[in-house]
Amino acid sequence: MMSALSKYVFYPAWDLKDGSQRLVEWRQLEKQQWWSQDNLGRLQLNRLRTLLSYAEEHSPYYRKIFKQLGFKAKDIQKLTDIERIPVTTKQDIRNGGDQFISDQLEKQALVSAKTGGSTGVSLNLYFDETCQEKRNAAQLMADRWSGWDLGMKRASVWGNPPVPGSVKQKLRHNLLDRTVYLDTMDLNDQSMSSFVERWRKEKPGAVFGHAHSIYIFAKYLLQKGITDLRPQGIVATSMMLLEHERASIEQAFGCKVTNRYGCEEVGLIACECEQHNGMHINLPHVYVEFLDANDRPVTQGEPGKVVVTDLNNFAMPLIRYRVEDVGVFGERVCECGRGFPLLERLEGRVADFLRLPAGGQVSGISLVERTLTKVPGIEQMQLIQEQINEVAINRVKGREYTEKTDKELEQAMREVFGEEVVLTINDVEEIPQEASGKYRFSICRVNQ
Ligand SMILES: [Zn+2]
């Protein structure tokens, strides 16, 4: 009853009151996801032209760059014409600062967000209300792909849960957000046990959170033999969903995991549908490219650096913004019939790639994943490369741990890094979290 009320009464009423674009945009997205690739291509080209024209006129940073290049937004004929504009890096935003922001708008009136500094660069970003509402609409669309629906309660496994403060926030929390939180900054048997109790009372329809945090909770459920938490959807959002973690989560909840990829800077980039076979790119909102080391498009199926143009953000345009992640684009059409193309997989952040002393790089995430399957007795692990010839391995002992485990672990690492590398194995209780609540399994601190 409350679910239906929330879906049909409270959501629309709230959006009406706030003059929000969210539901209008959401209804559009619900249709657009089924459009043909041709129609979506035309939609993207129109939106890209509008964004570039606006940036040319109102963003001092891009105005200058376009001028230097002799680039005119109105001349853009096809999507790939955008390749004439250089890639925007985090460092560019750091240096350019307010130069990115539209000269038509007051910075104080905008919504601001600060990104975490885990890639070494923390950024201040700005967008207007409409942009935020559109991002929320995309979330709604993708949340529904997971099995969740409007009005259902949510369970959230996050760091630093927001505590409603004002009366308005409390009202909104009770009527709309209806969320049960597990604070991942404080994960222990007691906090997880009381979360299970709250879950049983509130019966959330879906659980959202960082993949590894959901995994820790799933492991707890499996250990305790708790089998009655049955959500209709599970959304993992931390970008790297390891296969064995996905399997444990699905076993614990009896429900498929929906992997999602997005970032603070541009919102939802891609998300799995109910097929769970690749992530559909949020085409109406982002134009995504996959580039090689020289910022040229990679061949289809090859890993490339993810570069995103946010088609919603006019307040602080981000054109060809390099997210510092590596992903693989696919030409395959998903069986669900949606027109949004597929991001086949993510290979990790650029900073997750470890350097090989003999030259070349290895995806740290893939290496961790492979080692966990190959070497019995390791529950979790994290690789940290401080120097080119120095790799620290933080590992959590698993049930099958024996004195042979570390030998085999070292052997597996030697096969990849060679004999000269100094390997240190640290026995840890758990993998430490970043300040954002995210986990990283592979960190390279050698200059890339
Ligand atoms: Zn699909």
Side-chain angles (χ1 to χ4, degrees), residues 93-273:
I93 298 174
R94 192 81 180 264
N95 297 340
D98 293 355
Q99 292 292 302
F100 278 85
I101 300 173
S102 162
D103 59 14
Q104 277 193 312
L105 301 167
E106 286 295 328
K107 191 166 106 178
Q108 287 71 21
L110 299 171
V111 183
S112 72
K114 205 176 162 78
T115 65
S118 54
T119 47
V121 188
S122 154
L123 302 173
N124 291 313
L125 300 156
Y126 298 88
F127 30 88
D128 61 17
E129 292 274 344
T130 308
C131 173
Q132 196 179 29
E133 285 160 10
K134 286 185 175 177
R135 286 181 185 184
N136 290 342
Q139 298 260 14
L140 265 189
M141 167 189 67
D143 286 350
R144 292 182 76 244
W145 294 350
S146 77
W148 177 88
D149 200 4
L150 267 79
M152 277 186 193
K153 285 186 192 172
R154 298 157 167 265
S156 275
V157 184
W158 290 125
N160 313 313
V163 179
S166 67
V167 173
K168 181 178 166 178
Q169 280 172 336
K170 275 184 190 144
L171 193 67
R172 188 181 168 107
H173 175 76
N174 289 332
L175 297 181
L176 308 180
D177 299 342
R178 309 173 74 220
T179 302
V180 197
Y181 283 103
L182 172 63
D183 184 356
T184 58
M185 290 298 175
D186 186 24
L187 279 179
N188 53 54
D189 273 21
Q190 210 190 341
S191 67
M192 289 194 274
S193 155
S194 68
F195 184 61
V196 170
E197 285 314 310
R198 266 178 291 145
W199 183 306
R200 284 176 176 149
K201 228 170 80 200
E202 305 278 345
K203 297 193 174 40
V207 53
F208 298 79
H210 295 147
H212 189 67
S213 303
I214 301 178
Y215 167 73
I216 294 173
F217 182 54
K219 289 292 280 187
Y220 170 84
L221 297 177
L222 292 172
Q223 269 159 20
K224 301 282 173 191
I226 297 169
T227 55
D228 61 321
L229 307 193
R230 289 288 175 264
Q232 273 148 286
I234 302 171
V235 180
T237 56
S238 82
M239 93 160 275
M240 286 324 295
L241 174 63
L242 304 179
E243 275 314 309
H244 79 280
E245 298 199 340
R246 186 198 284 257
S248 293
I249 297 170
E250 292 183 347
Q251 190 193 343
F253 292 101
C255 176
K256 287 276 190 186
V257 176
T258 298
N259 195 13
R260 177 179 298 177
Y261 173 47
C263 64
E264 199 77 51
E265 297 91 307
V266 301
L268 176 76
I269 298 175
C271 184
E272 283 179 3
C273 68

Side-chain angles (χ1 to χ4, degrees), residues 145 271-278 280 333-338 340 342:
W145 294 350
C271 184
E272 283 179 3
C273 68
E274 60 279 359
Q275 298 288 329
H276 304 281
N277 188 7
H280 288 284
V333 175
C334 184
E335 279 178 30
C336 71
R338 287 183 180 83
F340 294 178
L342 292 173

Side-chain angles (χ1 to χ4, degrees), residues 50 64 71 146 165 178 240 262 292 310 312 330 333 347 354 373 420:
T50 311
K64 192 170 155 202
F71 179 89
S146 77
R178 309 173 74 220
M240 286 324 295
D292 67 14
D310 184 345
N312 289 333
V333 175
E347 299 236 319
L354 304 174
T373 1
E420 270 86 81

